Amino acid sequence: MSVPTSGHLLGIDFGGTKMALALAEPDGTIVARHRLPTNAGDGAERALSRALDAAEKLVSDSGRPVLAAGVATPGVVRPDGIDLAPNVPGWGELRLADALRDRLGDIPVPVWNDVNAAALAETRHGSLRTADPGLVLGLGTGVAAAVTVGGQVVPGFHGAAGEIGYTLVGSGLLHPDEAHLEAVFGGRVLDDLAAAHGLTGGAPALLADADPELSDLADRRIDSLTRAVIAMCLLLDPQRVVLFGGLTGSERIVSRVTERLRSHLVFAPDVVVSAFADEAPLVGAVTLAADAVPR
């Protein structure tokens, strides 16, 4: 099959803190990038409009049309909206594919969950090319996972496989107000916790602080995450676990999760940090666009 060469691919990764865009050649080679803050407090429509303005400029500056666009977004994608995307007010009402086509023309626009997009990047180009099954953990504004089996991302019946942010972390009898993992671990929660203790550097400052009380507090939060990951590993028996996202810059998180998996699992998986760092969903979005180009 011939590969079109007359245009670019567009990838967009929408996040709770930042939005990233990339233009790529038809073979997936990224040739231009742009990043801008989400400014979640301004609402979903404003964030989307700013991202689309940036996309139009990238395309205009390139002088070539877009063959297809791939989108990575938090939440569970439906044709008429997005579920489980609480970090940007109004995000659930957006129709991202329609919005891109309104701006860029009638092109293919596949839209995936962001962690699933990251997992696609890892199976095609990264640490899961030679590992099966695989588990991908997104540690950023929130926390979520994706499962890969046989080189394919497993979305689940509703597209909600890996939404571990909703794992219950309480004990005793279940009750309606049971705490969820994302309420105790994630970039936004750790930022708020740092501020509550007078630290100005957000999550990185909290995780690096040597005060015994704060260290214990941080470790307890990390262990809440690790319990959920251990449960997933017991179910899936992955060969490799790949971590990506802004919180993977914390050696404390990476080393503690790795050590706990090794000490609490009979068959512990390899644990690696993605070579794409926080760009894994963006690489996945470009991969989605490449797959969507008519041949």
Side-chain angles (χ1 to χ4, degrees), residues 22-69:
L23 274 186
E25 297 292 347
D27 65 359
T29 302
I30 294 177
V31 296
R33 290 175 169 84
H34 184 70
R35 181 176 293 208
L36 62 164
T38 304
N39 295 338
D42 293 341
E45 292 286 353
R46 178 59 183 152
L48 177 59
S49 178
R50 291 169 51 244
L52 294 178
D53 289 345
E56 282 188 315
K57 186 176 188 308
L58 269 181
V59 173
S60 175
D61 290 348
S62 76
R64 292 163 62 184
V66 175
L67 303 171

Side-chain angles (χ1 to χ4, degrees), residues 131-135 147-149 229-241 265-270:
D132 182 46
L135 182 61
V147 172
T148 67
V149 177
V229 179
I230 288 171
M232 292 194 75
C233 288
L234 290 170
L235 179 64
L236 180 63
D237 186 23
Q239 181 179 351
R240 185 164 296 144
V241 175
L265 290 169
V266 175
F267 301 107
D270 297 333

Side-chain angles (χ1 to χ4, degrees), residues 130-267:
T130 58
D132 182 46
L135 182 61
V136 177
L137 294 177
L139 307 179
T141 303
V143 55
V147 172
T148 67
V149 177
Q152 302 294 316
V153 180
V154 180
F157 180 68
H158 296 96
E163 289 287 347
I164 62 171
Y166 295 88
T167 301
L168 301 178
V169 295
S171 60
L173 296 175
L174 284 172
H175 55 84
D177 297 324
E178 194 85 29
H180 292 167
L181 175 60
E182 200 159 286
V184 299
F185 184 90
R188 181 161 294 168
V189 170
L190 296 180
D191 284 345
D192 291 344
L193 196 61
H197 285 82
L199 301 177
T200 58
L206 176 70
L207 294 164
D209 198 284
D211 177 83
E213 181 180 348
L214 291 183
S215 293
D216 181 69
L217 185 62
D219 287 344
R220 288 175 181 274
R221 302 288 177 123
I222 298 168
D223 283 354
S224 293
L225 164 71
T226 308
R227 285 188 176 91
V229 179
I230 288 171
M232 292 194 75
C233 288
L234 290 170
L235 179 64
L236 180 63
D237 186 23
Q239 181 179 351
R240 185 164 296 144
V241 175
V242 183
L243 312 178
F244 81 91
L247 290 181
T248 60
S250 166
E251 175 60 27
R252 184 189 209 114
I253 290 176
V254 174
S255 61
R256 192 170 182 87
V257 170
T258 302
E259 186 278 326
R260 289 296 191 261
L261 294 186
R262 288 175 178 167
S263 62
H264 288 78
L265 290 169
V266 175
F267 301 107

